[in-house]
Amino acid sequence: MNTTASSVVAATSSVVAATDPTALLNTQLSSALSTLGDAQFWEETISPATVRNELSTTDPSNPNSTPTLQRGMKWLLASISKGRDVSDFYPHVVKLVGATSLEVRKMVFMYLVQYADHDATTRELSLLSINSFQRGLADHEQLIRGLALRVLSSIRIQDILQIQILGVQKCAKDSSPYVRKCAANALSKLSPRCDIEQRQMLLEIMKNLLEVETSTMVLTSVLIAFAELCPERLEFMHSSFRKICHLLTDMDEWGQVVVIDTLARYCRVFFKEPKAWKNGTAEKIDRERRVSRVTPKESRVKAASNYIDEPEETVEQVQQGLPSNLPKRVRRRVIRKGFYSDDEDSSSEEEVYEGPLGNATSIASAMRQPPIVGMSNVDPPIHISPDAKEDMELDEDHRLLLDSSMPLLKSRNAGVVLSVCSLHYYCGVSSVKARSAIGRALVRIHRDRREIQYVVLTSIQTLVQECPSAFAPFLPDFFVKALDPPFTRLIKIDILTSLALEPAAIEAVLKEMRMYIRSPDTKFVSASIRAVGKVVELSRIIYDREGLKSGNFAERRRDANRVALDCLHGLALTTQNSESPAVVGEAISVMQNILLILTDSSIGVSNVNIDDPNGIQGHVLRRSLLLLLKRLSSRAVRNVSKGDIDDSDEDNNEDGSQVEDFDITLPAKDAAAAIWLTGEWMTNAYYSSIELRGLNGDAKARARLEVGRMIAGSFPKLEEPEKQQAIHFATKVILSIASGTIAALSAEVAICEHILAMGRVDVDPDVKDRARFESSLLHVSIGLKHDMSAMDTLPTFRNSLSLHQAKQVVLDKRLVPSFLPVNDLSKGNAAKFRFGTLSSLVGHKARDAYIPLPPWGEKNSAKSLRDQNEDLSKAFDSMKPKSASKNDAPSGDFYNSDSSESSSGSSSSDSSSSEWSGSDSEETGSDSDMHDPKSNNPGTFTNETALGGGLVQMENVVGTSLVSQPQSMESLFAIKSSSDGSSDSDGSDSSTSESSSGVDTAPSINLNTHNDLLSTQVDLLRMGNHSSNIDRPAQMQPTGSASAIDDLRGLVMAPIAVPESADETSSERDTSSWMQLVRPELCGGLAARARYLRGKAREREVKLAGLDPDSSAVICVQIQFKNKKNDDGSLRRIKILPRSSSKGGIAIKRTVCPPEIPELKKGQMSTAHVCIQFTSASNREGDMVIRLDIKSSSGGVPVEIKPHVGELLRPCNMNVTDFDSTLTKMHGFQRVSASFAISSGNVDALIAAVFKETALNPVGPAKFDNGRLRLVAQLPASNDLVLGLIECDKLTGSGQVTTCCDHAVAGNSILSTLKQTTTRLG
Amino acid sequence: MIQSIFILSPTGEVLIERHFRGVTSRSVCDYFWDQASVSVNHHGGLSTTTSLLTNEEQQLLLPLHESVLPVMEVPESDHGTVYIISILRDGLSYLAVLPSEVSPLMILEFLHRIADMFVDYFGSPADESAIKDNFSTVYQLLEEMVDYGWPLTTEPNALKQMIRPPSVMAKLQSVVFSNTSVSGELPRGTISNIPWRAAGVSYSQNEIYMDIVEEVDAIVDAVSGSLVSSDVSGSIQCQSHLSGIPDLLLTFNDPSLIDDWAFHPCVRYGRFEREQVVSFVPPDGNFQLMKYSLNADRRANFSPPLDCHSQWHVNKADLGFAGESSAKQPAESSAKLTVQMQVKSLSSLIKSATRTVGGMKTVVENVSVTIPLPKLVGTAKFQVSMGSVVYDEGGKIAKWTLGKMADGGNTTRAQFTADLKLNPQKTGDEDIQSPNLFLHWKIPLASVSGLSVSGLSLSGEAYRPYKGVRNITKSGLYQVRYS
C-alpha cells in the first residue's frame, strides 16, 4: 500500500515539473505501469512454494522460460533484501547457471555468491556450478570471460581454490585488458584463503603484470592488488615506478587514491628527505606566523632576542649593504618546532639560512604579499627563485612523482585531491607554490556535499596548524553557515581560530563569533565562547609581535587590550542574555581567563596600563560575583534566609534586579572559576584596583565577609572543584587580612578557618589533601587560631615561613592558562595518523591495515634501480615475444607511445604522452603500423615519438634501398624459380611440398646467403635500434620457415612486385593451400589467390601488423596478386580494403591491410598480407568471415574468405602414448569417423594434403606409423583438444579417418574437411 | 575496500544489502540507526513529505544524521570492529561497511556516485519507491560498480551499455515480449581506453550544448541586507550528442578570471596546465565537464541581486519587561515575520554579449523564498503583496514564490507577512529562533565571473556539430540570516 501511494505522489509531482509533452506522457504511462515495477516482489503476494516449484520445473535452456526465471530470481533477491534466509533454494538455483538470459544468469550469480559458503550442502552443490564458470572462462566474449572469472573468484569455497588460481593465471594472460583487469582484481579475492605457496603464485602473477602491463585500466587494478597483497614489498615497484608516474593521470580515479598512497610510501623509503621539506619558503613563513603555547622561559628568550637583537641586526644589515638576493648569514636562534612535528624535544636551536627576507619584519610583510595571501598569478621574483631551487635539489624520480601527481589536484574526485595533497605534504617540498596549491584545492573540495566536507575539514583542521598561510586567503570560506551540521560547525570554529593570525583576520573571526554566540545550539555556543578566549589570547601575542617589529609596542598592546575588553563586554552580555547554564558557565570561565591575560605581564616588557573607561572589568567581576552568590544561595544548607541574600545583593549591587532575570545555577567547574575570580578580586592587590561601582572600601570588605559566610554555609553541598576553590579562597582571605590587626576581622578569619576545617575532613581525598596542604601552609606562617580540628595529624613548624613568603606563594601572580594548541596533544594518537585517513578520523589504528609513513630514506636510492630493471624488462620483453606482444594488444594502442617513452627514460617527458593523448597517438600508432604510402615522405613524421619515427625512417631507407636495387633482387629470386609453373593446381602444390625436404635444399642455401646479405644491410640500417638486434637471430635461424620475402615485407612500404616466374616456394608447412580469390576475367586481368599463414610465418606477419599473434582470433591471409592481363598493360594501384558488413558472424575488431601496390607490370606478381583480428575466436564453422574489397585501376571485386575450423586450429604438441590414451577415452558424440578410399599411390600425398588443408600437427613423425597417422591440435576458442586419426592401408588405399573432440560440431567439421581432402585425392 | 553496502529507507528498513567480502550482519544497521535516530523525537523516522525544499536544503534540515558523523565506528560487532561510512540522499541512508583502513573520502565519493547513478537511472528523486520499484536493476548496478569492495565500472556511459536503464518502453517490452533489461549486446566502451564514452554512438543531428552555471552561496544579513559572506562556484554542464569519437577543444576568453579548476576525467590535464585550453573527448549525454572557483577579485565584486529584508518580532504573552518571571506557566505567544523583497542592482553581473546588444533588461527568474518556521508555531496566517505562498503544515515550512522580477527603476517592493501563533512554551525549551530564509533565484545570460567561451572546435570527426553555449547565474545555498 505504502509504495503505491508514494509512487502516485511521485508521479503527480513530476507531472508538475515536466514541461515537454513526451515527459508528461512518460510519467503518466509510468504511473499506469507502476504495477509492472519490481516493487511487487516486496509484497507478500507470491508464495515461496510457487517460486520453488517454478524454479525447479523450468528448463533454463529454453529461452521462453526467461520471464518465469526472472520472476523467481527477483523474488529471491527481494527476499534477501528483506533479510530472509533463502539458502534452501540453492539446489534449484545452481542449475540455472547456464540460463540463456544474461540477466537471469547475473541474478543467479549474485545469489550464488551470497550463499555458496553458507553451509555444507551449498558448498557441495556449488561444485556443480564450477564447470559452467570454467566454460565461461573460455568464452569468446571478453565480458563473459570477465564475468565468469569475477564470479568464480568470489565463491569462497576452499575446495576450488586451486581451480580459481589457475583461472586467474590464465586470465592474466588474456588478450583483453578487461579480462586481465578482472584477473588482477581476483588476486586480492583469493589471497586471504591461500597458503604460503599459493600466495607466492599470486605474487608472481602480480609482479609479472606489474612489469609488463601498460594498459592503465589493468595497471590500476594490479596496483590495488599490490596494496592488498603485499603493501610492504615496495621494492617490487622499482622497475615500474616511472611507468606508473607517467600513467598516473590516466588511471581510473579510484585507483589513483590507492596508487598515490603506495607511491608516497615508496617515496619515503627510497628517497632522502629533501632539504626543502621542512624548510621551504612557505614553511619559513608559517614558522613565523604560527602561534603555539610557550613556556615562560622560552617566551622570554624569544621576546628578548627579538626585542633586543632585531634592531641591531637590521642596522648591521644596512651597513653591510649586501646584495639582497643571496642567503647572507647563518644565524643561530631558537625555533620551536616540537609542537607539530614528531620530534621529541619541543624546542631546539637551529641554523636558519636567511635570505633577503632575513629579519622578521620583512617576512611578515612577505606574508601579506599576493603569492601567499592571494596565492595568485603575481609571483614576485623573490619567491620564484627559492621555489625553483627547492625543486632542483630533489632526485629526478622524486620530482617526477611530484610533478606527475600535481595535475590531479584538478580531479573532480575529492578523494584523489586529498590523497595528492597528502602526498605533497608528507613527501614534497614546502614551497609557497606547492602549499598554496594544496590549500586552494582543499578549500575547493570542501565546498562539496556535507559528508565530504566533514572529512576535508578535519584534514584542513590538522593542516592549518602547520601551514596557516595556505588557508589564510580563504578565511571567509570557513564561516559557519546556518545549515552546517553540528560536527562541521565545531571543526570550522577550530579552523577559524587557527587562522586568526592577523589583525584583520582577528577582527573578522571575532565578528563571526559574536554571531555564533546567539545560536540556539548550546554546544556550539560554548565552543564559540571558548574560541573567543583563544582568539583573545592569540590577539595579544600577535599584536605584541607586531608591536615589537614596528616599535610601537605600547600602542599595539593597547589595541590588544581593547580587543580583550570588547570580548569581555560581549561575554558579560552573554551571561546576562543566555538562559543556558552551560553557556553562562563557559562564559564565566573564559572571562576569568581573559582577565588573567589582561593582567598578565609575563612577556618581558613593562606593563601597559589598561585603558578601561567603561569599567568593563568591573562589570565582569560583578557579574561573576552575582552568579556566584546565586549559585551559593541555591546550595545553602543552613538557614540562610532569603532576606540575607537580598541584603547582600543590595549591598553588593545597586541594580540587583538583574539577578532576577534568570534562574541559573552555574556548573560546578565554572562556579569554581567564579569563586576564584571573586577571591582574587577581593584579596589580590592588582585586581583590587579595579573599580566596581558602589562597591569599594568597606563595602568590599563587607561583601567579602558575606561571600565567606555563604561559602561556609553551603560548603558541604558544593562539588569537588568548588570545594577546592573555596578552600583556596579561605586561605587567600586569611593571608590578605593577616597583616591587619583589626579585631573585627577575626570573625572573618574564623569563618575561613572553619571552611578549611571542613575541607580537612571532607570525604573527597583531593579536597582533603588540598585543605590539609593549605592549612599547613597557613599554620607554619601565621598560625591557625580558631578552628584546629583535624590538625593534630599534621606536622607543625611554627613561624618557619614568614607571612611575606606565604603571601608570595599564594597570592603572587600566576601563569595565564592557555587555550593554545597544547590541547592537540590530548588527541594523542590521532595526531600521529596522516590526515584524511580513516584512522585519523576514528582516532585509532583501523584494524592493522593502516600503514604509517616510513621515515625518509638515508639517501636517495640509486637511479639505476629504476633504470636497469627498465632495460632488463625491455630486453626481456623483446626476447619473449609473447609478453611483448601483449603490450601491443590492439586496445592498448592508445598508450603505445607512452610505454615507449617511459622505457626510453624520461627524456621526453613533455611530449604528447604523459597526459592522456587520446586519438593523436592512435593515429600515429596506426600510421606507422599501416605503412601508409604517405610516409614515403620522411618529413611528415618529424614530430613522431622517437621509437615510432625511427621505425618509419628505417623502413623508408630499406624501402628505397630495395627500390634502388631491383635488379639484384630479381636475380636473387630468380635462383629460386621452381619447376612448377602452374602453381594454381593443387596437385602440383602438394607434390612440391612432398619433395620439399629434398628439392628445397639448394635454393634454401641461396636463400640463407641472401638472408645474410640482407640482414647485414638491415643491420646497418638498424644500428640505432638495439632491440631489433635481438630479433635478428630468430629470423636467421635456418628453420626454413623464414623466407626472405617474408622478412622484408615488414620493412618495405608496399609489397614489391616480382616477376611471375619468381614464384614463392618457401616452406609450405606454414601455409595452407592456395585458394582462388579473384579470377582475372572478373577484375580486368588481376588474378588473386589466397592462403592462410600458420606458425612462424603467421606470427611474424601478425606482429608486424601490430596485433597479438597469440590470439586465435587473429587470422592472417596471404594474398598473391598476378597480372594476367591479355595485353601488355600494367595494373596500377592495387589495394585491399576491408568491407564492413552487418551480416552475422563475429565482429571484426581490426583489419590491417597492406598498403596499395603501386604497379604490377605484365607478368609480375606480388604478395600481400592481410591480418584480421576478430573480437573473439570461434569454434564454429563460418563464424569468422573476412570480407574484403580488392580494387585496382581496372576495377574492383568483393571477396569473402571463410576459414574453416580445420584452418583455425591452434598448434599443440603431444606424445604418442598420451595421444593413444586420450583417444581411447573419447567416446560417443566426442568421436566421429568416416571411411575413405584413395588410390594406393596417393597415400604419401595424403599426408601432405592433410597438413595443407588443416592446421593439425602430427603426433610423432609425420608419416603413417603402422598405418596410423596421429594428428592433434586445439580448438581456437575453447582450447579443447582435437585429436585426429587417419588409418590407411598403404596397399589398398582404403582407410578410415576419425576425429575426437569435446566439441562435437567442431569435430564434425574437421572430419568433413579431412574427408574432402581424401576424396580429392581419390 | 567496502565489505558491504546497505541502503536504508527513511524508516530504517533495509532496502538493499550487498556483501562483497563475506556477509555482514544487519546488527550494524541497527547500531547505525540507533545513532542516527537519536535526535528524531517521534517514532517512525523522518518525514520526507515536503517538496518545498530543494534536495540540498532538505538534507540540511532533516533531523536525521544531525548527530551522526559520516564516519562511524561500530565496536565489537560479530566481525570485530567495523567502520561505517554513510551518506544521506533523498531520504535514504547509504552505508558502506569497512573492515579496515581505506581512504574515507574515496568511499564517500563512491557512495555519492552510486546515488548519482540511481538518479541517472531512475530519475530524481531516487527515493525509497524508486529503489523498490527497480531493485533488481539496483542489484545489477551494484554488481557492475563494485568488485570485491573496490569500485569497478563507474562511468554512466559504460554502465548504460551493460544495463539498460528502465524506461516505460522497456517495461512494456518486458511484459509483452519478455525482453530483459540487460543489454543483449555486450559493450565495447568498457574495454577501450576511453571508458567514459560509449562506443559506436551515432546521431543524425550532431549537437553539443554547454551551460556555464555559476551558483552563489551566500549569507546575507536580514536587517541591513549586506553580504556577510559569499562564495561563487561555477561549473560547465554539457549535453553532448555527437557521433563517433569527437575530440573537442574548448578555449576561454580570459582564463585568468578563474582561480581553480576541477575536471571530468576526460579532460587532458597536462594540456590545460600548459595552454589553458580544455581538450577532451566527451562522454555521451549529460555530464559535468568542469567545476571552477572564481578568483578572489571577481568574487569580491559580487553584490546581492535581490534586496531582502526580514523582521521578526515575538510577543511573549504575559511577560512584562519588568515583571516577575512567569516562564514557568504556559503562555500563549505570537510572532510576526515580515519579509520584503526588491530587485537590487544587477550591475555586478556580467551579461552575455548577445543580450546587451538587444537592450533587454536582465530579469531575475524563479524567485522564491523558503521559510522554515520555528517548530513551536501553531497556526500561521500569510499575506503577500505579490506571488503566492505554499505552506507545509507538517514540516512548518512556507514557500513564497514570486516568479520573475525585472531590474529597473520602478520595481515594486514585494512584501510577505506571516502572523504566527506559537504553541505554549515550557521552560527548558530553546529560545524561539528567528527563522533563516533561503532565497532562490536564477538570472539567465549573466555571470559573476564573466567567463565566456571563445571557441569550441572539433577534430577527429568529419561533421560540423551545432554548438550552443550560455551563461546562467543562480542561487545555491543563499541564506538570509537574522542577526
Side-chain angles (χ1 to χ4, degrees), chain B residues 113-388:
Chain B
R113 205 64 69 81
I114 291 177
D116 288 344
M117 204 62 76
F118 291 164
V119 171
D120 205 2
Y121 264 74
F122 316 133
S124 180
D127 55 5
E128 182 177 1
S129 63
I131 297 294
K132 275 191 169 173
D133 224 22
N134 298 290
F135 80 92
S136 70
T137 315
V138 167
Y139 274 117
Q140 283 171 32
L141 279 172
L142 286 178
E143 181 73 13
E144 290 302 333
M145 290 180 80
V146 192
D147 190 17
Y148 198 54
W150 292 104
L152 184 67
T153 312
T154 51
E155 286 301 331
N157 272 215
L159 279 172
K160 285 201 175 146
Q161 286 194 314
M162 288 194 242
I163 302 156
R164 215 176 287 149
S167 65
V168 178
M169 273 321 284
K171 269 186 188 165
L172 267 179
Q173 275 183 344
S174 73
V175 173
V176 182
F177 309 108
S178 69
N179 267 8
T180 66
S181 70
V182 172
S183 157
E185 200 172 316
L186 292 158
R188 308 270 150 70
T190 38
I191 49 161
S192 78
N193 283 290
I194 27 178
W196 58 85
R197 185 169 175 87
V201 182
S202 165
Y203 290 99
S204 55
Q205 193 126 33
N206 288 295
E207 48 196 16
I208 180 162
Y209 298 100
M210 289 189 174
D211 281 353
I212 305 179
V213 183
E214 287 177 3
E215 276 194 5
V216 184
D217 289 355
I219 304 176
V220 178
D221 190 277
V223 177
S224 69
S226 63
L227 206 60
V228 178
S229 79
S230 75
D231 182 17
V232 185
S233 51
S235 64
I236 297 187
Q237 307 286 348
C238 292
Q239 194 180 8
S240 146
H241 297 293
L242 299 174
S243 317
I245 302 181
D247 201 333
L248 296 170
L249 187 71
L250 179 69
T251 49
F252 296 106
N253 274 330
D254 187 3
S256 71
L257 292 168
I258 301 307
D259 194 37
D260 199 16
W261 315 72
F263 296 112
H264 190 275
C266 70
V267 175
R268 298 175 179 111
Y269 297 122
R271 183 94 189 265
F272 181 80
E273 295 277 273
R274 286 197 307 275
E275 304 165 39
Q276 302 267 297
V277 296
V278 184
S279 157
F280 62 103
V281 176
D284 192 39
N286 295 327
F287 67 102
Q288 185 179 54
L289 178 65
M290 53 185 264
K291 288 191 279 193
Y292 61 86
S293 49
L294 309 190
N295 71 21
D297 295 346
R298 275 307 325 166
R299 256 205 278 171
N301 266 351
F302 173 76
S303 72
L306 293 168
D307 211 4
C308 180
H309 295 284
S310 86
Q311 280 182 333
W312 172 249
H313 187 76
V314 183
N315 268 327
K316 285 192 181 177
D318 308 324
L319 198 67
F321 278 106
E324 291 287 306
S325 165
S326 58
K328 279 164 192 154
Q329 305 150 14
E332 179 89 347
S333 311
S334 67
K336 186 171 178 171
L337 176 73
T338 322
V339 183
Q340 289 187 324
M341 284 275 267
Q342 193 172 18
V343 176
K344 230 174 166 179
S345 160
L346 300 178
S347 57
S348 72
L349 299 175
I350 296 167
K351 285 121 195 157
S352 304
T354 46
R355 260 315 152 88
T356 36
V357 173
M360 295 261 295
K361 269 185 202 162
T362 317
V363 175
V364 188
E365 288 179 359
N366 297 1
V367 182
S368 66
V369 189
T370 309
I371 308 154
L373 296 169
K375 297 290 170 219
L376 283 170
V377 168
T379 55
K381 260 191 232 162
F382 303 99
Q383 261 191 322
V384 286
S385 69
M386 186 180 161
S388 61

Side-chain angles (χ1 to χ4, degrees), chain A residues 81 142 228 447 482 839 891, chain B residues 21 26 101 139 191 193 231:
Chain A
S81 278
Q142 49 175 351
E228 285 220 37
R447 296 192 188 114
S839 302
S891 53
Chain B
R21 304 192 160 203
R26 289 191 171 201
E101 174 71 45
Y139 274 117
I191 49 161
N193 283 290
D231 182 17

Side-chain angles (χ1 to χ4, degrees), chain A residues 285 289 357 362-376 378-383 432 469 473 502:
Chain A
I285 292 164
R289 290 192 122 197
L357 303 174
S362 46
I363 286 191
S365 63
M367 268 163 16
R368 285 191 293 275
Q369 277 172 356
I372 311 97
V373 179
M375 300 290 182
S376 61
V378 264
D379 279 19
I382 243 173
H383 281 288
V432 168
S469 51
E502 272 179 300

Side-chain angles (χ1 to χ4, degrees), chain A residues 379-484:
Chain A
D379 279 19
I382 243 173
H383 281 288
I384 287 170
S385 53
D387 264 15
K389 253 189 292 167
E390 277 156 21
D391 278 3
M392 290 314 289
E393 163 240 7
L394 294 176
D395 185 278
E396 208 173 282
D397 287 326
H398 192 167
R399 204 166 62 232
L400 170 70
L401 169 62
L402 295 178
D403 287 349
S404 53
S405 61
M406 208 50 165
L408 288 178
L409 281 180
K410 304 220 180 309
S411 169
R412 66 168 169 177
N413 186 320
V416 176
V417 175
L418 188 69
S419 60
V420 175
C421 289
S422 177
L423 173 75
H424 279 260
Y425 180 74
Y426 290 109
C427 302
V429 295
S430 54
S431 64
V432 168
K433 204 171 129 211
R435 284 283 161 89
S436 68
I438 290 177
R440 197 162 37 198
L442 283 178
V443 171
R444 189 192 72 228
I445 58 173
H446 112 272
R447 296 192 188 114
D448 210 315
R449 296 182 184 275
R450 57 188 217 142
E451 293 92 356
I452 291 173
Q453 187 179 39
Y454 165 71
V455 177
V456 178
L457 280 175
T458 50
S459 304
I460 293 179
Q461 191 184 14
T462 318
L463 264 178
V464 77
Q465 315 276 0
E466 189 77 353
C467 28
S469 51
F471 298 97
F474 306 106
L475 183 73
D477 287 297
F478 299 113
F479 287 169
V480 175
K481 307 202 168 79
L483 292 181
D484 283 341

